[in-house]
Amino acid sequence: MPRSDATERGPLPPFERLVADHGPTVLRVCRALLGFTDADDAWSETFLAALRAYPDLRPGSNIEAWLVTIAHRKAIDVHRLRGRTPVPTETVPERPSTAGLPGSGDDELWSAVAALPFTQRAALVYHYVGGLPYAEIGAILGNSTDAARRAAADGRESLRLYYHAETGSTT
């Protein structure tokens, strides 16, 4: 008797298990890329998109990397939307607002991370917060493994220079 495609690849685990297992990582990635204001919405959008695509997921896929890829795309959507959405104000601010970006609070590290270019920030977040290897980060960002490693190294160097400038440290 011929086996169906679903039988050959084995049943997928329940989607609820994916949310329970990988939800916290995806939320940390969303918060690091977008800040607390937009992170919950991006997290929800990530899992809605994942739910739609889940039945077609290839067996043996790295589910965490797949979810982080979706979260990355949702973060890009939010950044694009932010760039196109005017914010009405009574007066023009003297300096750009960081509302909704990581570091818009008092945390100096997140302020420095928020100031990094998006690719550097994403490479650092995906590697150090999401725990992804550079090969998968390169795939998410549409770059090579070496480009992802370079973006993370450049981001680390920028953070190191920021720290030294802020503290006056020479070590």
Side-chain angles (χ1 to χ4, degrees), residues 12-13 29 41 43 50 66 81 88 90 94 112 122 136 140 142 153:
L12 292 169
V29 167
D41 289 339
W43 183 90
W66 176 67
L81 181 63
E90 292 290 325
E94 291 183 24
E136 291 176 11
I140 290 169

Side-chain angles (χ1 to χ4, degrees), residues 5-148:
D5 184 43
T7 305
E8 288 176 10
R9 70 178 187 190
L12 292 169
F15 190 77
E16 295 82 14
R17 187 177 329 152
L18 266 69
V19 176
D21 291 349
H22 302 291
T25 299
V26 171
L27 183 59
R28 285 193 306 270
V29 167
C30 289
R31 284 181 177 165
L33 291 174
L34 299 169
F36 285 91
T37 306
D38 296 319
D40 290 338
D41 289 339
W43 183 90
S44 297
E45 290 293 324
T46 296
F47 280 100
L48 283 173
L51 179 62
R52 285 185 213 108
Y54 188 57
D56 298 325
L57 186 64
R58 290 182 306 180
S61 295
N62 182 334
I63 293 173
E64 187 172 55
W66 176 67
L67 290 169
V68 169
T69 300
I70 296 170
H72 167 76
R73 291 180 183 141
K74 297 303 175 184
I76 288 173
D77 291 346
V78 169
H79 280 286
R80 286 180 181 152
L81 181 63
R82 250 192 231 144
R84 287 181 270 177
T85 306
V87 179
T89 60
E90 292 290 325
T91 59
V92 177
E94 291 183 24
R95 59 189 169 113
S97 170
T98 59
L101 291 175
S104 59
D106 295 328
D107 187 353
E108 288 182 40
L109 172 62
W110 287 118
S111 294
V113 171
L116 294 173
F118 182 79
T119 303
Q120 291 178 13
R121 180 171 64 231
L124 288 173
V125 167
Y126 297 153
H127 186 70
Y128 292 105
V129 178
L132 297 178
Y134 290 116
E136 291 176 11
I137 295 168
I140 290 169
L141 296 174
N143 292 325
S144 66
T145 301
D146 290 338

Side-chain angles (χ1 to χ4, degrees), residues 156-166:
R156 281 191 309 272
E157 182 61 22
S158 294
L159 292 175
R160 201 173 288 122
L161 292 172
Y162 173 82
Y163 171 77
H164 291 303
E166 289 295 309

